[in-house]
Amino acid sequence: MVQLGDSSESTTIRSRKAQKKQQQQQADEEISKHGAGGLENERHQSSDEPAPVKCVPDGDKRKDAAIEEVANGDVVDDRLSCTIRVQFNAATVGLFLLSFLTRFYRITHPRGVVFDEIHFGKFVSLYLKNTFYFDQHPPLGKLLIAGAAGAVGYGGNFDFPKIGSEYDASVPIFALRFVPALCGSFLAPIVYSILRQVKLGQGVSILGGLLIIFDNALLTHSRFILMESILLFFAAFGILMVLKFVQASPFSVRWWTFGSLAACSLTAAICVKFIGFYSYLVALYIMGRHVWMELPDRRKSNVYIIGKVVAQVALVVAVSLAVYVGCFYVHFEALYKAGPHDNVMTSAFQASLEGGLASITKGQPLRVQHGSQITLKHTHGRVCWLHSHTAVYPIKYKDGRGSSHQQQVTCYGFKDVNNWWIVKRPNKDNLMVDDEPDYIEHGDVVQLVHGVSSRALNSHDVASPMSPLCQEVSCYIDYNISMPANLLWRVELLNGKESKNKWHAITSQVRLVHVNTSAALKYTGEQLPDWGFNQFEVAADRRQYTIDTIWNVEEHRYTQHQDKKEVLHKLLSAEMIPTERTKLSFWNKFYELQMKMLLHSDKLESHMYSSEPHEWPLIDKGIAYWIDAESNAQIHLLGNLVIWYSATLGIVLYVGFLVFYLVRRRRQLFDLDPPAWDRFRLGGEIFLAGYLIHYLPYFFMERTLFLYNYLPALLFKILLLCFVIDHCQQAIRASLARPTLVLTIFRAILAAWFAGVVYFFRRYSVLSYGTTALSAEDVLGLRLKDTWDLIVHKP
């Protein structure tokens, strides 16, 4: 009986071991099926590639543990256990340390404001003073820097008045520049990891990290209160996590973790600058490509693939929304005081800020009625108020067109007594409020009488001065000629449900439609010439449904005096001092700020250091960031010429290889086996596509651009260069019977080229650090191109 029992137990153990072996084989097959597109089928690795790491599903790990426990006679329930492994790679640590040293070396120099520190430094100071500001880009980068500065006790008292202004002793320069420098330090090891993730050799991957370290432009931008290094860190880390995500076993802990980290990091890049969305698009393409490559595998059911796609979408959307909304929640919680930028926002938003426009709502009537004195603010886009003055339109414009020669109506960007209008019922002669309130509702027809000149708002079939396709808007003057008054305007409340179709001050968004012509009162965005005092044009447009036809009442009170002098006196003595803030929900603030950031654009202005996209790849123009008052020591944004030119050549070589292979394959000549071909395509589809996505849109942007706008594209350009170098080595091995000599020559050329990279970096690092006093001759010696505007102001 004992022997039988031992035999039975031994048989059970052996059968479980066989089951374990079979499960391990199935797990290996499953892992081989998952990867970044066609890369998972790669079977040939160079000698310096890492050994593949096999991931066993959690269920198999638990079964393995159970087998060992049965064999040892121990029973342990480990269903809720979780194993965390932390690995340090010598290459990543070395790259980080070298990058850290270059970024943090004398980081407190110069002790003065450098280029765009004048803007971002002000934003950081406003955070620490809880004062609202408006910026076209999301707030995460500024929040991180403000957090670091606030942690060391900085109160935001420095005003960043101009470039070159000396920081006083209260400004923690190291803390303010810490976050950008730290993010810049992490970029090199991340690039190394990305290259390893797409199965490049360790030597080439280390080279990629070194190219990041030794690029002068990336170095310069990592050392100051600027956003690009933070943006690049989140974008690169997000791409790395996406590559790990698509190669992880679906629905495993690693899969969920990498997916969450990818969505979090890529959304954080968007929260630094909106151009981070380009990296988000690259990541979405990588995930979509992976699913597309899985579709031919009939062993995977439709339910499995659909479930995986739905899970990916749900994960990415949920994490991205949480990060994006959370970032703005912190932003609004920090900025609750009125500031110099709050007039960009709507009246309701301003009234919600402490010390803002609460005086408009407190003590002033809410509902607009006959006899109301109001100011009408353009709700979206440029901040200005409906305005008129006694000047009239010229009889003829420069192009020969005639006008009505009536009183001008404009949109004026400052508060002024001429911004006041009186709401009047057409059937009433007086301008005072009645004893019985006569409230204005959605659909009512009114007249708007200019408070100072007593002339009514008018429009007619006369071309507007700057927008001939629109109608002129004027204040009607009776010249006793055949031009009748068209003074009637219909009130259309766009958010009438919130006020039960009653016209409210502050909150109601209104469109005023001219009754006679069905054209809506519109801010056109065009600036009038000198005869219009360079104010902005107001016209009437039959295309009613645009955001530029939306207005809201900002200041409001009732007319209670018949005497015109008394009315004017009340207008001139209007209360404009803020008192207490009102409440506005987070979601209302969030929606409004998103609209303002997307729609508010600065006027296109020239800048002596601005440049065009076609000038970036070959560094035709740099940017002066700072110059020492005592010498020619200066900081000037220039990339490493050897890296930038080589990376541009790398793009040409990759495209050349791709065309060559495609033509050969069309001729049924296959130079690369299927795994190698998939691998070659993968590099181009990620890195070349990433470069083009980050570069080409700038050709269509109508705003001032600078060289630093090219840095995200440069990141993918360097990745592609490393990929081309690795492919050249593989092509030499595959095409030559005895490749050793050719490989030796190729690597010697690479070594000489890299020596040139280091030499250029060292020679031009004086323009990145700004610590070396330069003579005029030294500066001229650094000027390799006539378009490089290096500064010489001392002999």
Side-chain angles (χ1 to χ4, degrees):
M1 293 296 291
V2 173
Q3 292 177 352
L4 179 60
D6 291 342
S7 174
S8 174
E9 183 177 353
S10 176
T11 302
T12 302
I13 295 296
R14 284 196 299 270
S15 99
R16 287 177 176 171
K17 287 183 177 181
Q19 183 181 8
K20 172 187 173 183
K21 184 176 181 180
Q22 181 181 3
Q23 291 170 346
Q24 183 65 40
Q25 291 174 348
Q26 292 175 351
D28 291 345
E29 292 175 359
E30 189 68 21
I31 293 300
S32 68
K33 287 185 262 179
H34 298 284
L39 189 59
E40 67 273 8
N41 296 321
E42 180 68 46
R43 295 188 299 270
H44 305 287
Q45 295 179 337
S46 59
S47 59
D48 59 352
E49 289 180 351
V53 178
K54 297 180 179 179
C55 301
V56 180
D58 294 341
D60 294 343
K61 290 180 180 178
R62 290 194 292 268
K63 292 176 183 177
D64 296 346
I67 293 171
E68 293 177 1
E69 289 158 6
V70 170
N72 296 328
D74 298 325
V75 178
V76 178
D77 187 0
D78 67 342
R79 287 175 294 176
L80 299 179
S81 65
C82 179
T83 302
I84 299 177
R85 293 190 305 167
V86 179
Q87 293 180 332
F88 292 97
N89 183 289
T92 56
V93 172
L95 289 170
F96 172 76
L97 291 177
L98 180 59
S99 187
F100 185 89
L101 290 174
T102 58
R103 270 60 183 168
F104 279 88
Y105 172 71
R106 298 192 65 178
I107 194 172
T108 58
H109 179 84
R111 297 191 62 84
V113 179
V114 176
F115 194 55
D116 275 351
E117 283 189 338
I118 191 173
H119 302 299
F120 299 120
K122 284 180 179 178
F123 295 151
V124 170
S125 294
L126 290 171
Y127 267 123
L128 297 173
K129 293 187 291 188
N130 305 114
T131 302
F132 180 82
Y133 72 87
F134 175 79
D135 185 25
Q136 287 180 274
H137 294 290
L140 181 59
K142 284 88 72 177
L143 271 172
L144 293 174
I145 296 174
V152 297
Y154 176 55
N157 297 322
F158 189 75
D159 293 331
F160 295 85
K162 63 180 181 179
I163 297 175
S165 299
E166 290 292 322
Y167 290 119
D168 58 41
S170 67
V171 179
I173 304 174
F174 180 86
L176 286 168
R177 295 173 178 172
F178 174 79
V179 172
L182 184 64
C183 290
S185 301
F186 277 116
L187 188 59
I190 291 174
V191 166
Y192 165 83
S193 300
I194 290 174
L195 294 173
R196 294 294 281 159
Q197 200 65 34
V198 294
K199 307 305 182 200
L200 264 63
Q202 188 171 43
V204 175
S205 300
I206 292 175
L207 175 64
L210 291 174
L211 294 180
I212 296 296
I213 293 173
F214 293 133
D215 181 72
N216 301 73
L218 293 174
L219 169 66
T220 303
H221 241 267
S222 298
R223 291 174 45 81
F224 304 110
I225 312 172
L226 304 172
M227 296 294 108
E228 266 62 31
S229 63
I230 306 175
L231 168 69
L232 291 175
F233 165 74
F234 283 123
F237 186 73
I239 295 297
L240 174 61
M241 291 298 101
V242 165
L243 292 172
K244 289 180 176 290
F245 174 56
V246 297
Q247 294 182 39
S249 179
F251 307 108
S252 66
V253 174
R254 287 170 55 87
W255 190 80
W256 291 108
T257 301
F258 286 138
S260 299
L261 288 174
C264 182
S265 186
L266 291 165
T267 308
I270 299 175
C271 290
V272 175
K273 279 192 170 184
F274 277 129
I275 59 172
F277 182 68
Y278 297 147
S279 300
Y280 203 95
L281 290 178
V282 175
L284 293 177
Y285 171 75
I286 293 172
M287 291 189 289
R289 182 188 190 279
H290 178 70
V291 173
W292 182 259
M293 298 300 290
E294 281 188 318
L295 291 180
D297 189 353
R298 299 300 297 273
R299 292 172 296 179
K300 297 176 182 178
S301 67
N302 294 338
V303 173
Y304 167 83
I305 293 177
I306 293 173
K308 180 179 176 181
V309 171
V310 170
Q312 284 181 334
V313 171
L315 175 65
V316 170
V317 170
V319 173
S320 297
L321 286 177
V323 172
Y324 190 79
V325 174
C327 177
F328 280 93
Y329 181 83
V330 176
H331 177 71
F332 290 133
E333 286 295 305
L335 305 180
Y336 56 83
K337 296 180 180 178
H341 297 165
D342 59 0
N343 63 356
V344 175
M345 310 305 291
T346 62
S347 304
F349 193 106
Q350 293 179 63
S352 71
L353 298 173
E354 183 179 297
L357 295 174
S359 61
I360 297 172
T361 56
K362 184 176 181 179
Q364 294 189 6
L366 176 65
R367 292 184 59 178
V368 178
Q369 64 167 303
H370 169 81
S372 287
Q373 298 176 16
I374 62 173
T375 62
L376 281 168
K377 182 181 180 183
H378 179 233
T379 302
H380 300 297
R382 177 173 289 275
V383 177
C384 59
W385 290 265
L386 187 66
H387 177 93
S388 186
H389 40 240
T390 55
V392 296
Y393 290 110
I395 297 176
K396 284 192 175 183
Y397 303 120
K398 285 185 177 181
D399 60 3
R401 292 185 297 113
S403 77
S404 65
H405 197 48
Q406 296 196 355
Q407 183 170 304
Q408 296 174 17
V409 173
T410 65
C411 204
Y412 188 46
F414 300 92
K415 293 194 174 184
D416 187 90
V417 67
N418 283 308
N419 297 346
W420 285 91
W421 302 80
I422 302 174
V423 180
K424 177 182 178 299
R425 289 284 192 185
N427 57 349
K428 294 185 177 181
D429 294 329
N430 66 68
L431 297 177
M432 296 184 297
V433 295
D434 298 331
D435 294 335
E436 292 294 328
D438 185 8
Y439 295 123
I440 309 299
E441 300 184 1
H442 174 76
D444 285 357
V445 174
V446 299
Q447 294 175 343
L448 293 176
V449 179
H450 188 235
V452 174
S453 67
S454 297
R455 294 190 173 118
L457 189 71
N458 175 77
S459 186
H460 39 221
D461 192 16
V462 175
S464 190
M466 308 304 294
S467 305
L469 296 179
C470 298
Q471 295 174 184
E472 178 190 87
V473 173
S474 64
C475 277
Y476 182 74
I477 302 174
D478 188 1
Y479 287 118
N480 196 23
I481 58 176
S482 58
M483 186 173 285
N486 294 309
L487 311 177
L488 303 180
W489 299 85
R490 184 172 63 255
V491 175
E492 294 186 356
L493 301 179
L494 305 184
N495 56 345
K497 290 183 179 180
E498 300 175 8
S499 60
K500 298 181 180 178
N501 285 332
K502 313 296 183 185
W503 190 2
H504 286 179
I506 304 293
T507 57
S508 292
Q509 295 185 4
V510 61
R511 180 177 287 123
L512 295 170
V513 180
H514 192 237
V515 172
N516 300 76
T517 61
S518 299
L521 189 71
K522 177 183 178 180
Y523 160 80
T524 67
E526 299 292 335
Q527 194 166 13
L528 297 172
D530 292 340
W531 56 257
F533 308 99
N534 301 116
Q535 297 174 16
F536 289 91
E537 180 188 44
V538 169
D541 194 346
R542 286 186 171 87
R543 297 169 296 179
Q544 300 177 9
Y545 304 105
T546 70
I547 59 171
D548 287 323
T549 62
I550 301 175
W551 306 78
N552 68 271
V553 173
E554 185 173 86
E555 298 173 78
H556 178 219
R557 58 179 173 271
Y558 292 149
T559 305
Q560 297 176 334
H561 300 275
Q562 182 68 43
D563 187 358
K564 181 180 176 181
K565 291 184 178 179
E566 286 294 328
V567 173
L568 182 58
H569 175 72
K570 287 292 184 181
L571 289 173
L572 294 172
S573 61
E575 171 67 39
M576 294 185 183
I577 300 174
T579 53
E580 298 178 2
R581 61 172 176 164
T582 58
K583 291 183 179 181
L584 191 67
S585 73
F586 163 76
W587 292 110
N588 286 335
K589 287 185 175 182
F590 177 78
Y591 173 77
E592 180 177 333
L593 186 56
Q594 302 310 302
M595 294 295 294
K596 291 291 184 181
M597 288 191 298
L598 293 173
L599 299 175
H600 188 281
S601 59
D602 294 331
K603 182 178 176 60
L604 182 64
E605 297 177 355
S606 60
H607 191 283
M608 66 179 299
Y609 290 106
S610 63
S611 54
E612 296 299 323
H614 69 270
E615 298 177 297
W616 298 341
L618 301 181
I619 324 179
D620 287 339
K621 197 171 185 180
I623 309 173
Y625 274 17
W626 173 87
I627 187 165
D628 187 18
E630 305 299 328
S631 70
N632 291 316
Q634 58 191 281
I635 296 173
H636 203 95
L637 184 69
L638 288 172
N640 189 312
L641 207 68
V642 180
I643 296 176
W644 287 47
Y645 277 53
S646 302
T648 301
L649 178 61
I651 294 175
V652 175
L653 287 176
Y654 182 84
V655 174
F657 275 127
L658 181 61
V659 173
F660 173 78
Y661 290 140
L662 288 174
V663 172
R664 296 268 294 173
R665 291 174 77 86
R666 190 65 176 172
R667 297 287 296 170
Q668 300 299 309
L669 297 172
F670 301 98
D671 302 284
L672 302 176
D673 58 20
W677 173 242
D678 288 340
R679 184 170 179 268
F680 178 79
R681 287 173 50 209
L682 174 73
E685 291 178 4
I686 295 178
F687 300 146
L688 180 60
Y691 172 76
L692 296 176
I693 289 173
H694 284 82
Y695 179 46
L696 294 182
Y698 286 106
F699 285 93
F700 306 98
M701 291 185 182
E702 295 184 358
R703 64 182 180 88
T704 306
L705 299 172
F706 297 91
L707 182 63
Y708 61 74
N709 294 122
Y710 188 64
L711 295 182
L714 175 67
L715 174 65
F716 286 90
K717 191 176 177 181
I718 291 175
L719 290 168
L720 184 62
L721 173 62
C722 296
F723 190 87
V724 170
I725 292 173
D726 185 79
H727 181 73
C728 288
Q729 293 186 106
Q730 291 193 3
I732 291 172
R733 291 193 192 98
S735 59
L736 299 178
R738 296 182 179 180
T740 306
L741 177 60
V742 179
L743 275 176
T744 302
I745 296 173
F746 180 75
R747 288 170 178 169
I749 295 173
L750 281 181
W753 166 77
F754 184 72
V757 169
V758 176
Y759 170 78
F760 190 97
F761 171 78
R762 184 175 179 182
R763 176 171 171 77
Y764 282 84
S765 62
V766 296
L767 299 179
S768 297
Y769 293 110
T771 57
T772 304
L774 301 173
S775 65
E777 184 179 351
D778 293 333
V779 175
L780 294 176
L782 293 171
R783 189 181 179 190
L784 295 182
K785 290 189 171 188
D786 293 337
T787 53
W788 288 6
D789 297 325
L790 302 182
I791 299 175
V792 177
H793 73 149
K794 295 289 181 180

